[in-house]
Amino acid sequence: MIKISRVGIVHGAFLCFAVALVGRAAWVQLAQTDRWRARARGQQFSAAELPAIRGAILDASGAVLVESRPMVRLAVAPTEVKEPAALQTALRHAGVPEATVRRALDRNRKWVEVPGMYLSSDVADAMALRGVHPTPALQRVKPQTDGLRNLLGTTDDNGRAVGGVEAALDSLLRGTPGRRAMLRDSRGTRLATPEENATDAVPGHTVVLTLHAGLQDIAERALGDAVTQMGASGGDIVVLDPHTGEIRALASRRAGQAASGATALTEPYEPGSTLKPFIAAALFERGRVQMTDSVNTYNGVYTINGRTIRDVHKAPAMSFAEVIRFSSNIGIVQFAERLTAREQYEALRDAGFGMSTGIPYPSESPGRLYPVSQWSRQSGASLAMGYELSVTPIQLAAAYAAFANGGELLEPRLLQEVRGPDGTPIWKAERRVVRRIMSERTATAMRELLREVVSEGTATSADLATFEVAGKSGTARRTASDGSGYAVGSYTASFVGLFPADQPQYVILVKLDNPSGAYYGGRTAAPVTKIVLEAAIAARDAALDRTRLADAPKRRAPSQASQADSVRAAGVATAEAEAIAPAYVVELGTSPAPARVVVSARPVPDVRGLSMRVAVRELHKAGFRVQVMRGRGEEQQPAAGTMLRAGSLVRLMAN
Amino acid sequence: MRGRTIITLALFSFFVVATGVIYRRSLGISQARALRTLEERRTALEAQEAALDGAIRDASSRARLAPIAEQQLGMRIPPESLVIIIPRPAGAVRQP
């Protein structure tokens, strides 16, 4: 029998233990490798999503309108806090509300979220303390003005786009989040490790809009002031470059505050008389009318198909040009009869009415233009006066751009360029012609008619002293909100202008909803246009090409033909009012015509020998315009003492 | 060599290698911590720069300045007849 000593038993036990240990180790290391490796990774590493910085939105000049910046959110675990006094000081210093500071120090609470986001530099002291848990977050910095804020939309707390351009271009702006495995140290602090694969976040694209922040601000201020002063319920201003279709400004107000979105794109309205030039263009284009053609305007009251149409400017007859100049409903209805229903419909459809413009903006409205098959006996007359259809301000501005650019309907654009995360342009918008809707000859003729509307017609309030403005005013009745038809005393006043008249750089549309008092477009919307133009001319940053403006032809004397028009011959005052829809037998009181300014001749002061600055000031004081020219010869032209009308041009020679 | 010497050398080698590994790992972690601190600082500075840029932009914008100029300084937007646009002389080169 084998005798086993006690030492042998101990050795055997140790050996068994060692074998078991090695066997277990081998089992863990070899057979369960993947399982234990995964468990170790779970303890030592944590996956972190790297938020992508949302792309910036710039204006046409490159100024930042909206951008994202990294911030931190704070949470406090009161039970972990070791230095409550230091934490209290740090949180107060960062501007955390006192109630939140008290909660953060309350040891009965386990977790306190500090509301809001903070610059990490502002809360650096707090972040260094035990018990404070910062979380990185991105804050979307909004633009300065309410109008721009609402137009561009916003993002919610989770960074998701809400409305406006943010929502429309979200796929470009949002970027792609990255992922990264973080090493956890013994204290739970997460550290980046180069040994682990990481996918970097790709920032969103930068989007450059066609808007011009300076002009946008001018438009928003002018609209805000106008809505307040005129007691209007709202309004819109659109400024468009007629040669490229780029939207330069888009201001909207509703109920005394900035509209919740771009209502100039989403809310259609009946345009009233601002539509008449398109009927006139269709007639002229098809050779159905000459400028000198006249129609009987029946001293302002005319009945057609049992419907009474009235003119504010009552005259026995008017020429084609006068019909536009004085916005005669009777005249345009009779001229429109020279077009077939299909021709009239096609003219309006070709101008882009009834169709979306394609601007990348949520819920853009196409407006409404019924096909001929749905017309009533009254439809031809109604459309000629700008009723029975609805257009958005942007559609109307884009259509007017055709008058300015020689007859082409351009696609209006809000997006100018998209830049990649590294700043290189990856897409640029190009001028896109939708179709030619009139010949250059017709466009030129229409511009001339529109110029006369401002210089002598219903919209003289938009007239400038130095530059000529062309345009058309409109006053349209508004439907009641309960759908019971047109509301009594409720109007949309509007004006669409081209500036300057000869080589237009802007198409500017001003629309006011429900202005109180003098509600005519020529009296309400036209002066707002003038305010916007004056501010734009005075501003350095209003998207005006001053070189072209300096070369633009200046004010001309009234044409002889217009001086001897039949309206004046009939003794009708040139009131600044245009015809409203005659379909409703509502007597619309004609506002008294403003007293005409008598401009008397005055002598040109002698400014020879004065410094240029003083000379210009003296001439302005005397009521003259001044042009400084390089050259030699007489120091001033015309010579001192010459009798000139106020507003005449005096040239100064700078040697 | 005797067995004990070999074991001693093996244990010593193991000690040296383990010390090296731990030292290297500790160094890496401390550098990662330093890197993290620097990244946080950079992020904070970038955020501060963006905030200051925004504040400057906001303070120098027309929307902020125009009301102040009008209300406190009594300035007004001049009518366009008082704005003189001087034509550039022929042959002049546009300045950047």
Side-chain angles (χ1 to χ4, degrees):
Chain A
M1 184 177 172
I2 301 170
K3 188 179 178 184
I4 303 172
S5 64
R6 282 184 293 179
V7 174
I9 292 171
V10 172
H11 281 174
F14 271 117
L15 186 65
C16 289
F17 178 73
V19 168
L21 203 63
V22 170
R24 175 66 181 163
W27 179 253
V28 167
Q29 290 286 338
L30 299 175
Q32 297 181 326
T33 309
D34 294 341
R35 178 182 158 192
W36 290 106
R37 185 173 286 168
R39 194 161 172 177
R41 280 188 65 82
Q43 291 175 347
Q44 294 162 5
F45 293 92
S46 65
E49 183 173 282
L50 304 175
I53 293 186
R54 197 172 171 81
I57 301 178
L58 312 181
D59 84 343
S61 65
V64 177
L65 300 176
V66 182
E67 65 180 344
S68 292
R69 65 177 179 219
M71 306 284 281
V72 287
R73 290 181 191 278
L74 294 181
V76 179
T79 51
E80 297 174 13
V81 174
K82 301 289 184 198
E83 301 168 78
L87 180 60
Q88 187 179 35
T89 307
L91 291 178
R92 280 179 179 163
H93 179 71
V96 176
E98 193 58 37
T100 308
V101 175
R102 278 200 298 274
R103 280 211 315 273
L105 298 172
D106 182 358
R107 286 190 165 273
N108 294 323
R109 297 174 187 271
K110 288 185 176 173
W111 190 258
V112 176
E113 298 272 358
V114 178
M117 295 186 201
Y118 298 89
L119 275 173
S120 50
S121 55
D122 291 346
V123 289
D125 292 344
M127 283 162 58
L129 297 173
R130 194 173 173 88
V132 177
H133 300 268
T135 312
L138 291 172
Q139 186 186 45
R140 199 72 170 150
V141 182
K142 294 171 182 169
Q144 300 97 336
T145 61
D146 289 344
L148 210 48
R149 264 199 289 278
N150 294 336
L151 170 66
L152 299 183
T154 185
T155 54
D156 63 14
D157 287 345
N158 297 318
R160 284 191 293 263
V162 181
V165 173
E166 292 272 15
L169 304 177
D170 185 47
S171 59
L172 289 170
L173 291 166
R174 67 172 171 239
T176 310
R179 288 191 74 78
R180 193 174 196 180
M182 306 290 281
L183 182 68
R184 278 185 184 156
D185 68 8
S186 56
R187 285 178 293 183
T189 308
R190 301 201 301 181
L191 303 168
T193 165
E195 292 172 10
E196 295 299 318
N197 290 331
T199 310
D200 288 335
V202 180
H205 294 84
T206 297
V207 167
V208 184
L209 301 181
T210 58
L211 293 176
H212 212 285
L215 190 59
Q216 175 73 23
D217 183 59
I218 289 170
E220 282 185 26
R221 287 195 76 200
L223 183 63
D225 291 347
V227 166
T228 305
Q229 287 167 13
M230 295 174 195
S233 62
D236 296 282
I237 292 183
V238 175
V239 185
L240 191 86
D241 183 333
H243 300 285
T244 61
E246 293 174 346
I247 299 167
R248 296 294 183 208
L250 209 54
S252 301
R253 283 188 85 79
R254 291 291 181 274
Q257 59 184 13
S260 56
T263 51
L265 279 73
T266 58
E267 289 186 14
Y269 70 106
E270 286 183 302
S273 297
T274 50
L275 200 81
K276 287 174 183 167
F278 297 97
I279 302 298
L283 286 160
F284 197 78
E285 181 77 10
R286 289 166 174 78
R288 308 282 167 80
V289 75
Q290 300 295 319
M291 289 295 172
T292 51
D293 285 1
S294 287
V295 289
N296 191 338
T297 48
Y298 303 98
N299 281 315
V301 182
Y302 174 61
T303 302
I304 179 173
N305 295 329
R307 171 185 179 184
T308 302
I309 299 175
R310 295 169 194 274
D311 273 350
V312 173
H313 297 274
K314 298 172 177 60
M318 285 193 198
S319 70
F320 180 64
E322 290 161 4
V323 164
I324 298 299
R325 194 185 312 153
F326 298 107
S327 200
S328 167
N329 285 328
I330 298 172
I332 198 70
V333 165
Q334 291 186 81
F335 278 120
E337 288 175 345
R338 300 182 187 185
L339 295 170
T340 65
R342 175 146 295 281
E343 285 174 334
Q344 197 174 345
Y345 169 75
E346 284 177 356
L348 297 174
R349 189 202 57 191
D350 287 351
F353 303 130
M355 286 173 280
S356 298
T357 62
I359 291 173
Y361 197 85
S363 62
E364 190 206 351
S365 170
R368 186 191 63 199
L369 175 63
Y370 291 120
V372 177
S373 58
Q374 295 180 29
W375 285 19
S376 67
R377 285 171 62 209
Q378 306 284 0
S379 294
S382 295
L383 284 165
M385 296 182 293
Y387 286 86
E388 276 197 35
L389 87 165
S390 63
V391 303
T392 60
I394 200 73
Q395 281 178 329
L396 195 57
Y400 264 78
F403 296 135
N405 66 29
E408 291 176 331
L409 179 70
L410 299 177
E411 187 180 272
R413 287 197 278 118
L414 191 58
L415 187 57
Q416 180 170 294
E417 189 178 294
V418 177
R419 296 178 188 159
D422 57 352
T424 53
I426 59 173
W427 180 85
K428 278 188 178 179
E430 291 178 357
R431 179 180 189 269
R432 183 162 174 267
V433 180
V434 178
R435 67 182 77 88
R436 175 169 284 283
I437 61 173
M438 67 188 82
S439 64
E440 284 205 29
R441 176 176 162 271
T442 302
T444 307
M446 289 303 118
R447 276 207 306 275
E448 191 58 37
L449 287 183
L450 297 177
R451 184 206 310 270
E452 289 176 4
V453 172
V454 174
S455 61
E456 306 160 57
T458 58
T460 50
S461 305
D463 207 5
L464 299 174
T466 312
F467 300 98
E468 286 194 306
V469 180
K472 182 75 188 78
S473 56
T475 310
R477 303 197 60 175
R478 293 170 63 84
T479 51
S481 54
D482 59 3
S484 59
Y486 289 103
V488 177
S490 182
Y491 302 93
T492 300
S494 59
F495 177 80
V496 191
L498 312 178
F499 172 79
D502 274 307
Q503 299 165 11
Q505 296 189 38
Y506 288 163
V507 171
I508 176 167
L509 180 147
V510 176
K511 176 173 83 74
L512 295 169
D513 303 331
N514 268 326
S516 54
Y519 48 79
Y520 292 112
R523 291 189 160 210
T524 53
V528 179
T529 305
K530 181 177 180 177
I531 290 168
V532 172
L533 290 177
E534 284 187 330
I537 291 169
R540 288 179 305 172
D541 55 350
L544 272 178
D545 184 342
R546 288 168 176 276
T547 308
R548 275 170 56 206
L549 207 55
D551 297 337
K554 303 300 187 293
R555 171 158 302 291
R556 299 187 302 199
S559 63
Q560 286 193 342
S562 65
Q563 294 282 7
D565 59 51
S566 56
V567 176
R568 284 202 179 81
V572 177
T574 312
E576 293 178 352
E578 65 283 332
I580 306 170
Y584 315 92
V585 191
V586 177
E587 291 295 339
L588 305 174
T590 308
S591 304
R596 291 187 67 78
V597 177
V598 178
V599 181
S600 57
R602 56 190 70 184
V604 176
D606 188 354
V607 295
R608 288 173 298 175
L610 301 178
S611 69
M612 186 59 70
R613 181 182 293 273
V614 176
V616 169
R617 193 186 302 147
E618 288 299 316
L619 286 166
H620 275 149
K621 207 185 292 177
F624 297 105
R625 292 182 296 120
V626 182
Q627 185 177 15
V628 181
M629 305 184 72
R630 288 189 181 278
R632 295 190 175 279
E634 290 295 324
E635 286 185 34
Q636 66 179 83
Q637 293 174 352
T642 307
M643 297 297 285
L644 290 177
R645 286 162 58 111
S648 300
L649 184 69
V650 177
R651 292 189 170 85
L652 294 178
M653 295 296 176
N655 293 323
Chain B
M1 270 191 289
R2 293 174 60 187
R4 286 181 185 173
T5 310
I6 292 171
I7 290 171
T8 305
L9 281 175
L11 284 175
F12 184 73
S13 302
F14 172 77
F15 176 76
V16 169
V17 170
T19 305
V21 167
I22 290 169
Y23 171 75
R24 187 167 167 272
R25 192 172 176 81
S26 302
L27 193 67
I29 288 175
S30 73
Q31 285 185 343
R33 281 203 189 103
L35 198 64
R36 181 169 176 265
T37 307
L38 287 173
E39 274 183 3
E40 283 175 354
R41 201 168 155 212
R42 190 192 66 183
T43 307
L45 289 171
E46 283 176 353
Q48 203 171 9
E49 183 193 16
L52 291 171
D53 278 346
I56 291 170
R57 217 167 39 238
D58 189 30
S60 58
S61 69
R62 173 183 289 274
R64 181 63 63 92
L65 288 180
I68 295 171
E70 286 180 4
Q71 288 161 18
Q72 295 185 10
L73 304 177
M75 297 176 81
R76 291 284 177 270
I77 293 171
E80 43 86 37
S81 58
L82 296 183
V83 177
I84 303 168
I85 300 175
I86 302 173
R88 198 182 318 131
V93 178
R94 186 189 286 266
Q95 295 297 314

